[in-house]
Amino acid sequence: ICLSANGNDHKKFKGDDKMDGAPSRVLHIRKLPGEVTETEVIALGLPFGKVTNILMLKGKNQAFLELATEEAAITMVNYYSAVKPHLRNQPIYIQYSNHKELKTDNTLNQRAQAVLQAVTAVQATNAPISGTTVSESAVTPAQSPVLRIIIDNMYYPVTLDVLHQIFSKFGAVLKIITFTKNNQFQALLQYGDPVNAQQAKLALDGQNIYNACCTLRIDFSKLVNLNVKYNNDKSRDYTRPDLPSGDGQPALDPAIAAAFAKETSLLAVPGALSPLAIPNAAAAAAAAAAGRVGMPGVSAGGNTVLLVSNLNEEMVTPQSLFTLFGVYGDVQRVKILYNKKDSALIQMADGNQSQLAMSHLNGQKMYGKIIRVTLSKHQTVQLPREGLDDQGLTKDFGNSPLHRFKKPGSKNFQNIFPPSATLHLSNIPPSVAEEDLRTLFANTGGTVKAFKFFQRDHKMALLQMSTVEEAIQALIDLHNYNLGENHHLRVSFSKSTI
């Protein structure tokens, strides 16, 4: 098929928005922003291999991109089905073309060919691309497409999504594995091309993610390819959205995992941080401290309101959400939506707390349902007007005595851990015995698997339920439970096991 530049690729639109169709090394890209350049379109393909041809259909906001191999095209389509591609902040759509190769009418397509040659020359010398001109500073060839990242002065949690958002500015990130080693948070991050790794290292090594803390130390890994077994909050392969989540199993092979078994969780401290509200990417959202790292001019708004969906509407109450989300920050207001009772808005005290709650609670089970937590577009949660009864669906917790993080420097800041089957209990009066506590926790509907008092201090204990979901339920039911003698039980998640 010879394509002229008006690109009558008729058969194309039957499968709108789908990335299906037989794989081909020619990709059809749709819904491009009007002013987009050839370079930007070519850049979508570069991390996956050599781009051999391009045809821009300006009038139709479409383009065809031909890669050197079908394998490269398949990797690219898989990657962008997991990570929605955007150009100039607009979503675009990529699918296989029915054409097996592009035969372009060169007179009409000269500019694109010239750009392609410039870019290919750049790629051949491993120099970074800027606009369509070849940058002067050719960089030395990088050893590996995999970077090893260590984060120093880690006062705030840095999630896998934060890393993805920061490092994606330098090219398509294919895989990330995070782990804790020698009490330091570390990550391995793989690009499609060593050039991207080189550029990211040059730009980011020594930078702080947040003000005056979370410093990136970056070098090349000896590994040239990462093997990711599970897609979860510790590891992800963006080219393989089909991987299992592994249900909290270690994301590394067992042998390496054993070496990292001294998993220590990260400290979270309140204060200066208000991550950015980047509207589209909910989880990566705030994240990426983008204001700090290479995204000047974005105001640090810190979204404090979360949208929680897929709740069990028979069971959920403002109080239960207050208790669970209160583990990660001081919940100010909760509103269960009147016309959609499986969803709620939760307003936290600051953007860091909403980020923490989101990264720890999204995907957990509450009352038998896997809940989804994202940033809301609302800035505050409105209270119902005076005298209007919304059936108790909205509650203001602004003055609650149960906030865990009111006191600056409180110990609670050091005890923020992901939901786990093991709970940390404190404020236990001397008269209460192990048997009483086991019975109390069994009554929440789960099974108590293990229990132990702290040796030095019988006011505290660890208690293990048989699943994380049971522990979440027990925490909701029993945090602040009155054990008598004016002792209210305090319950949080532990990083230890018994």
Side-chain angles (χ1 to χ4, degrees):
I1 305 162
C2 184
L3 268 182
S4 63
N6 62 359
N8 299 320
D9 197 4
H10 285 310
K11 296 167 290 187
K12 213 44 252 133
F13 295 104
K14 298 209 176 71
D16 246 19
D17 281 14
K18 291 205 184 65
M19 300 213 185
D20 54 12
S24 157
R25 64 195 185 93
V26 181
L27 299 178
H28 181 206
I29 304 173
R30 297 184 295 114
K31 306 237 171 114
L32 290 169
E35 65 286 6
V36 88
T37 65
E38 282 90 348
T39 316
E40 288 170 274
V41 175
I42 293 169
L44 290 167
L46 283 182
F48 305 97
K50 190 169 162 48
V51 175
T52 47
N53 208 340
I54 179 171
L55 174 66
M56 296 285 280
L57 312 177
K58 289 283 197 199
K60 296 190 170 180
N61 299 83
Q62 296 171 30
F64 291 91
L65 195 66
E66 178 190 274
L67 281 90
T69 64
E70 199 172 284
E71 190 190 16
I74 294 170
T75 307
M76 175 167 163
V77 167
N78 287 347
Y79 174 78
Y80 287 125
S81 59
V83 177
K84 192 116 195 72
H86 285 72
L87 279 180
R88 307 205 171 196
N89 290 328
Q90 288 188 36
I92 56 170
Y93 297 88
I94 300 178
Q95 60 200 74
Y96 298 116
S97 164
N98 296 339
H99 305 301
K100 289 299 171 204
E101 61 179 319
L102 274 183
K103 293 196 181 67
T104 45
D105 174 339
N106 274 342
T107 49
L108 287 160
N109 204 27
Q110 268 168 338
R111 180 189 142 87
Q113 296 301 319
V115 172
L116 196 57
Q117 276 160 4
V119 170
T120 314
V122 171
Q123 253 202 318
T125 58
N126 266 346
I129 300 150
S130 63
T132 53
T133 57
V134 179
S135 151
E136 296 300 301
S137 61
V139 294
T140 52
Q143 296 73 43
S144 161
V146 180
L147 295 175
R148 190 173 70 117
I149 301 157
I150 295 177
I151 297 184
D152 284 341
N153 309 328
M154 182 140 163
Y155 293 124
Y156 297 116
V158 172
T159 62
L160 184 142
D161 291 313
V162 172
L163 292 173
H164 181 260
Q165 181 138 337
I166 293 171
F167 282 83
S168 290
K169 298 194 182 74
F170 300 90
V173 174
L174 306 188
K175 304 171 189 175
I176 306 180
I177 296 176
T178 64
F179 52 91
T180 303
K181 185 180 176 183
N182 306 335
N183 282 351
Q184 269 191 315
F185 179 78
Q186 302 196 14
L188 293 167
L189 181 144
Q190 180 176 346
Y191 282 108
D193 186 324
V195 179
N196 302 113
Q198 176 87 9
Q199 292 171 312
K201 179 180 185 308
L202 284 172
L204 297 176
D205 190 21
Q207 289 253 24
N208 291 336
I209 300 180
Y210 301 126
N211 276 323
C213 70
C214 299
T215 310
L216 291 163
R217 304 267 171 244
I218 303 172
D219 52 37
F220 292 107
S221 169
K222 294 185 182 59
L223 301 169
V224 290
N225 185 36
L226 299 179
N227 177 20
V228 175
K229 293 200 169 65
Y230 302 113
N231 282 342
N232 54 32
D233 57 356
K234 299 239 184 346
S235 64
R236 215 164 289 163
D237 182 336
Y238 294 92
T239 64
R240 302 226 10 231
D242 54 312
L243 288 177
S245 74
D247 248 8
Q249 295 172 27
L252 302 155
D253 349 312
I256 307 179
F260 300 145
K262 297 196 164 47
E263 194 57 273
T264 56
S265 194
L266 318 169
L267 305 185
V269 179
L273 173 64
S274 56
L276 308 174
I278 298 165
N280 56 6
R292 296 287 316 146
V293 183
M295 275 182 66
V298 184
S299 67
N303 201 333
T304 59
V305 181
L306 297 169
L307 170 65
V308 187
S309 54
N310 202 39
L311 292 162
N312 180 334
E313 49 188 276
E314 308 298 307
M315 306 287 289
V316 73
T317 61
Q319 185 66 45
S320 62
L321 290 168
F322 167 77
T323 304
L324 179 57
F325 281 74
V327 172
Y328 300 105
D330 293 338
V331 175
Q332 304 299 302
R333 293 176 179 179
V334 178
K335 182 190 212 78
I336 294 173
L337 303 185
Y338 188 80
N339 48 8
K340 199 170 179 316
K341 293 196 172 60
D342 69 346
S343 300
L345 295 173
I346 299 182
Q347 183 175 334
M348 308 296 284
D350 66 41
N352 186 40
Q353 294 182 1
S354 56
Q355 184 66 31
L356 272 172
M358 177 168 67
S359 59
H360 285 310
L361 294 175
N362 181 38
Q364 297 289 351
K365 265 191 169 176
M366 177 181 184
Y367 297 123
K369 296 189 73 169
I370 291 180
I371 63 171
R372 292 281 156 238
V373 186
T374 60
L375 292 175
S376 162
K377 51 182 189 302
H378 294 282
Q379 296 305 306
T380 56
V381 169
Q382 297 295 323
L383 294 175
R385 292 201 300 281
E386 273 306 303
L388 269 184
D389 176 29
D390 70 348
Q391 303 174 345
L393 295 175
T394 309
K395 274 198 81 158
D396 186 350
F397 293 99
N399 297 321
S400 168
L402 294 183
H403 286 156
R404 296 177 186 236
F405 304 102
K406 272 246 173 59
K407 287 197 200 81
S410 148
K411 265 221 190 79
N412 292 332
F413 285 112
Q414 290 154 41
N415 293 319
I416 296 179
F417 301 114
S420 64
T422 308
L423 297 167
H424 179 279
L425 315 183
S426 60
N427 206 24
I428 304 168
S431 59
V432 170
E434 173 175 340
E435 215 29 63
D436 304 324
L437 289 165
R438 280 179 173 267
T439 307
L440 186 64
F441 278 77
N443 284 342
T444 63
T447 308
V448 176
K449 285 189 69 172
F451 179 94
K452 89 171 194 240
F453 275 115
F454 278 59
Q455 270 168 352
R456 292 187 305 280
D457 183 357
H458 265 236
K459 293 196 197 73
M460 295 200 285
L462 293 177
L463 180 142
Q464 190 175 341
M465 305 296 288
S466 61
T467 64
V468 175
E469 184 186 357
E470 287 179 6
I472 287 176
Q473 183 63 54
L475 182 140
I476 290 172
D477 290 351
L478 295 174
H479 178 63
N480 200 43
Y481 182 85
N482 187 352
L483 289 172
E485 303 174 41
N486 207 8
H487 282 66
H488 286 78
L489 181 64
R490 299 186 62 81
V491 185
S492 53
F493 298 113
S494 170
K495 69 166 193 273
S496 315
T497 45
I498 304 173

